[in-house]
Amino acid sequence: MCLAIPARIVSEPNEIEMAEVDILGVKRHVSLMMTPDAVVGDHVLVHAGFAIQKIDEEFAAETLEMLRSMGIKHADELAAEMEAGEASADEAPGETAEVPAS
C-alpha cells in the first residue's frame, strides 16, 4: 500500500530541487522535481521523498485531521506505523522461518 502525506513547503528549493517541508510539525527535505511550479507556502502530497502533486490548503487540512483522528500526531509516528504494517504484510499467516540444524 502506498500513502502520500500532505506537507507545506517552508523553504526555497536548492540547486538540485530539494526543499524543506513541514509534515505534522516535523521538517523533512523532499524533492520538488515532480512539482516544479510549487513554491514556499504551497501544500503538496509527499511520497517516498518526492512532492508528487500540489494540493489546496483545505484538502491538506482535511487529510491531516483524518490522520490525527487515527491517533497519528507526528510524521515519525506515521512512518513507524507504515513500517510495522509492511513488516507484518511480508509474513504469511502461520508461516515461520526455520533455520536448518547444523
Side-chain angles (χ1 to χ4, degrees), residues 3-96:
L3 183 63
I5 305 298
R8 186 175 53 83
I9 301 171
V10 296
S11 75
E12 294 290 331
N14 62 18
E15 63 280 351
I16 59 170
E17 298 301 315
M18 297 291 288
E20 189 174 50
V21 298
D22 181 297
I23 305 171
L24 293 170
V26 177
K27 302 287 195 307
R28 299 276 190 246
H29 284 90
V30 301
S31 173
L32 298 183
M33 291 174 66
M34 298 174 68
T35 55
D37 59 330
V39 297
V40 172
D42 282 347
H43 288 82
V44 291
L45 287 177
V46 175
H47 173 70
F50 288 86
I52 59 173
Q53 179 181 351
K54 276 180 50 173
I55 57 174
D56 64 39
E57 186 174 357
E58 182 179 349
F59 180 78
E62 289 173 5
T63 305
L64 291 171
E65 183 54 39
M66 182 175 52
L67 291 171
R68 285 185 193 98
S69 74
M70 295 168 46
I72 298 168
K73 299 195 179 5
H74 299 287
D76 291 339
E77 292 174 357
L78 181 59
E81 290 290 325
M82 290 170 55
E83 288 173 9
E86 289 172 3
S88 63
D90 289 340
E91 299 171 7
E95 208 175 278
T96 58

